[in-house]
Amino acid sequence: SAAVAVENVNNKAETNIKNNVNLQAPKGNIAVTAASEQEYNRINQMIADLEDGLKSFLEQFKGDDVAKRIGSRVQSIITDVHTLQKEDKATSIKKSKLFAKKAKAAINLFTEVTGTTDLYKALLAFIDASNYANIAVSAYSKNDNDSGNDVTAVATASVGVQNLHNTANVNIGASTQIKAVEYDASGAVVNYGNVNIAADVKEGNVLGIGKWVLIPDPITTGGAENGLGGSVAVQNAYNDSKVQIMSGVNIDAGAIDIGSTNDVFNLGLVLGGAQTSARGLTGMVSYMGGESHAETLVDDDVSFTARKKVEEVTEKDENGEETTVDKVTSSGAVNISANNDTNVIS
C-alpha cells in the first residue's frame, strides 16, 4: 500500500506606489505594508474546539453532578494544555504526547456518560497524531487472510512533498513624497505622526510522514512473512520579504520605521515505515531545502526627516492627584532594518 501527498502553495502580497506620488496624513500616521502569512496553529484550533466542546457539554448535562465533576476535570486539563502550548512551536510539538495523555485521561472519565458530544470529539482530536501536522501522510498494510491465500510479502510507503513560496514586497516609486506632518498658515510644523513601511513574511509548517501514534492503537502493518516499509519527506520552502525605496523619495514624519521581516518555522516529523513483518526492512528519508531572504533597499538621493515630539499631558500621580508631565509621543528616530528569523527542524 502507498500514500502520497503533494502540496504546492504560492502566497504573494505586494504593495506598489508609483513614481511621483504624494502621500499626506497631516493629523495621523502613514502605514505602507505587505504581509504574507502561512500560520501553523493546529494546536490553537484544537484547544478552541476543546473549550467550545466543554461549554456545549455542560449545557447538555446542566445540573448533573457527574457532568459537573467531569467538566471540572476537563477544565483543569484545558488549563494544563494552555500552559504547555505557550512554549515555542518546536517544544509544543515535542510535547504532543503530553497533550494526548491529558486527553486520554479525560476520555476515560467519559465512560461514565453515554452519548457522543462535541467535547468527546474534541478530546479525540488530541489523540490522533495526524492532527498535529499541516499535512500527515501514512500507509499501512494488513493481512486479514480471509481469502485463505497466504500473503508472503507486503510493502508500505508514505511520501509527502511540500513546495511552499511566500513573498511580501513593498515598492516605493521614485520621487514619492510621504509626509505625516501638519503645517500652520506660516509654514511652521505644528503636528506630526509616524510612518511605517514594512514587508512581512510569516510561515509556520509541520509535515508528518509515516506511522506515528501518541497513544497505541490497534492498527498494525503486520501479517506478512516479509515486508518493506519506507517514509519519504521533501520540503522546499522559499520565503522572500523586500522593501525597496527608489531614488528621490522624501519622508517627513515624527518617527520612521522601514523594514523587512522573515519569521519562518518549518518542522518535518518523519518516521520509518512501521513494522511490516517479523523480517522487515524499514527506512526513512527527509530532505528540507529552500531559501529565506529579507531585504531592505534604499536608493540614492533619498531624504528622511524624523522629528521628536514631547507633549505636556495630564496624569494622575500615586495619590490620585492630577499632575502635568512631559511625554514623548514621537521618538524622532529613523529605523531601517532587515530581520530573518528562520528555524528549520528535520
Side-chain angles (χ1 to χ4, degrees), residues 141-157:
S141 62
K142 185 177 181 181
N143 176 21
D144 293 325
N145 209 21
D146 291 336
S147 64
N149 297 324
D150 291 334
V151 177
T152 58
V154 297
T156 64

Side-chain angles (χ1 to χ4, degrees), residues 47-299:
I47 292 174
D49 289 343
L50 193 56
E51 291 172 332
D52 291 342
L54 177 59
K55 182 179 178 181
S56 173
F57 171 77
L58 292 176
E59 289 176 355
Q60 181 176 348
F61 297 97
K62 191 173 183 179
D64 184 273
D65 291 338
V66 174
K68 286 181 181 178
R69 182 163 61 87
I70 294 175
S72 177
R73 291 285 298 276
V74 173
Q75 183 59 62
S76 68
I77 289 168
I78 291 176
T79 301
D80 290 344
V81 170
H82 269 301
T83 301
L84 291 170
Q85 195 266 341
K86 285 179 182 178
E87 302 182 39
D88 64 271
K89 298 181 184 71
T91 303
S92 291
I93 296 298
K94 290 176 182 177
K95 290 197 172 184
S96 56
K97 285 188 177 182
L98 296 180
F99 296 159
K101 288 179 180 178
K102 290 287 183 183
K104 185 65 165 57
I107 286 178
N108 288 339
L109 292 173
F110 263 83
T111 57
E112 303 174 35
V113 180
T114 59
T116 301
T117 67
D118 293 337
L119 179 55
Y120 186 73
K121 294 177 183 177
L123 289 166
L124 285 177
F126 278 88
I127 295 181
D128 185 349
S130 64
N131 286 330
Y132 291 83
N134 294 58
I135 284 188
V137 186
S138 66
Y140 73 91
S141 62
K142 185 177 181 181
N143 176 21
D144 293 325
N145 209 21
D146 291 336
S147 64
N149 297 324
D150 291 334
V151 177
T152 58
V154 297
T156 64
S158 302
V159 180
V161 179
Q162 286 184 309
N163 296 306
L164 312 174
H165 197 171
N166 290 286
T167 305
N169 294 327
V170 174
N171 302 305
I172 308 296
S175 302
T176 292
Q177 305 295 306
I178 300 176
K179 295 186 178 183
V181 179
E182 182 182 7
Y183 303 92
D184 63 14
S186 66
V189 174
V190 294
N191 192 33
Y192 34 87
N194 301 321
V195 169
N196 177 41
I197 300 174
D200 297 319
V201 166
K202 188 171 185 179
E203 177 181 290
N205 179 65
V206 176
L207 172 65
I209 302 295
K211 186 165 178 54
W212 49 298
V213 295
L214 305 179
I215 300 294
D217 63 28
I219 298 177
T220 68
T221 54
E225 187 176 329
N226 300 289
L228 174 65
S231 298
V232 178
V234 177
Q235 290 174 287
N236 294 302
Y238 297 88
N239 296 284
D240 299 291
S241 61
K242 179 189 287 188
V243 172
Q244 187 161 17
I245 298 178
M246 303 304 290
S247 63
V249 170
N250 177 31
I251 300 177
D252 192 350
I256 301 171
D257 288 292
I258 302 170
S260 58
T261 302
N262 276 11
D263 182 2
V264 180
F265 168 79
N266 269 321
L267 174 62
L269 298 171
V270 185
L271 295 185
Q275 182 180 354
T276 54
S277 69
R279 295 192 296 275
L281 175 64
T282 65
M284 62 181 180
V285 176
S286 178
Y287 169 80
M288 194 173 286
E291 297 178 355
S292 181
H293 302 285
E295 297 178 290
T296 300
L297 308 175
V298 179
D299 211 339

